[in-house]
């Protein structure tokens, strides 16, 4: 029996996890820095992605493509001192 709640037959977007290396599907204002690391998922279900040169940006799962999955036991770096 088909799922009545689904609007399309497209597979659901991948749920990224902290440590995944990702790249946005759409063009960005930082083409020289295309790959970032998922740092956390926030309460709005958006992902905070850290790009080495551009800094942090918020994305939804469906706006990203996986470059490399998180290595086993990945732990986010500590916050920068204030």
């Amino acid at each position: 029996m088909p799922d009545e709640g689904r609007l399309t037959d497209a597979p659901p977007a991948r749920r990224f996890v902290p440590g995944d290396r990702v790249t946005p599907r759409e063009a960005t204002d930082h083409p020289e820095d295309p790959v970032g690391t998922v740092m956390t998922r926030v309460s709005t279900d958006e992902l905070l992605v850290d790009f080495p040169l551009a800094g942090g940006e918020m994305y939804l799962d469906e706006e990203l493509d996986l470059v490399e999955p998180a290595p086993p036991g990945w732990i986010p770096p500590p916050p920068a001192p204030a």
Side-chain angles (χ1 to χ4, degrees):
M1 179 179 212
D3 182 357
E4 300 295 328
R6 302 266 324 263
L7 298 178
T8 70
D9 290 331
R14 183 185 192 285
R15 296 277 296 181
F16 294 103
V17 297
D20 282 348
R21 305 228 336 120
V22 295
T23 189
R25 291 183 176 178
E26 300 291 325
T28 67
D29 59 353
H30 50 86
E32 72 289 348
D33 193 23
V35 177
T37 302
V38 175
M39 301 308 286
T40 191
R41 183 177 298 276
V42 299
S43 62
T44 58
D45 212 28
E46 293 174 298
L47 300 163
L48 174 59
V49 179
D50 179 51
F51 294 90
L53 301 175
E57 295 183 356
M58 303 300 288
Y59 287 93
L60 297 171
D61 290 283
E62 58 268 15
E63 298 173 326
L64 299 168
D65 285 323
L66 182 67
V67 172
E68 181 181 5
W74 183 86
I75 299 172

